[in-house]
């Protein structure tokens, strides 16, 4: 493909658009419960197939995720539990605020303690 400049340019633009859309969706969904960061990283994988800057950013991200995981693994059980509880509380809080702003779906039973 590299020998045919127009095909190569079109392919790079398509990879850029698809990867950019995946990253954008991931960035929007980061504060929501679900795979926000995983989606961002998947978008970086797509972009890294054609763009050096995305490959460098992906390596930076992998290095820092590995460092965080290693650091957390060396901590006492109570620190890991505290991190898990703070993370769960944050996700729950974002979920409540999101449901408050967008409205609680009608399929949620009335006994669920959320805003109506």
């Amino acid at each position: 493909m590299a020998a045919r400049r127009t095909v190569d340019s079109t392919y790079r633009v398509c990879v850029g658009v698809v990867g950019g859309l995946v990253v954008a969706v991931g960035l929007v969904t980061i504060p929501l419960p679900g795979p926000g960061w995983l989606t961002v990283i998947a978008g970086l994988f797509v972009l890294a197939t054609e763009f050096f800057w995305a490959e460098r950013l992906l390596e930076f991200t992998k290095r820092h995720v590995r460092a965080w995981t290693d650091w957390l693994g060396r901590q006492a059980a109570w620190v890991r539990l505290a991190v898990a509880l703070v993370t769960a509380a944050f996700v729950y809080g974002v979920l409540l605020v999101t449901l408050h702003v967008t409205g609680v779906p009608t399929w949620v039973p009335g006994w669920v303690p959320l805003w109506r």
Side-chain angles (χ1 to χ4, degrees):
M1 246 192 304
R4 298 180 68 190
R5 188 174 206 124
T6 57
V7 174
D8 186 47
S9 296
T10 304
Y11 177 74
R12 285 177 61 91
V13 167
C14 289
V15 167
V17 168
V18 170
L21 285 174
V22 173
V23 168
V25 167
L27 289 174
V28 169
T29 60
I30 283 173
L32 302 175
W37 282 112
L38 185 63
T39 307
V40 171
I41 292 171
L44 284 177
F45 270 115
V46 171
L47 290 170
T49 62
E50 286 297 315
F51 301 103
F52 181 69
W53 61 266
E55 186 177 346
R56 288 182 53 214
L57 184 57
L58 185 60
E59 288 302 318
F60 173 83
T61 303
K62 289 192 310 190
R63 205 171 43 249
H64 280 78
V65 167
R66 190 174 304 116
W68 166 255
T69 305
D70 292 344
W71 177 84
L72 195 58
R74 292 189 304 268
Q75 302 308 307
W78 70 270
V79 174
R80 292 191 305 260
L81 180 63
V83 169
L85 289 174
V86 167
T87 302
F90 176 76
V91 169
Y92 182 70
V94 168
L95 176 64
L96 285 180
V97 169
T98 301
L99 288 175
H100 180 65
V101 170
T102 62
V104 179
T106 57
W107 53 265
V108 174
W111 56 266
V112 176
L114 299 172
W115 291 294
R116 286 275 173 195

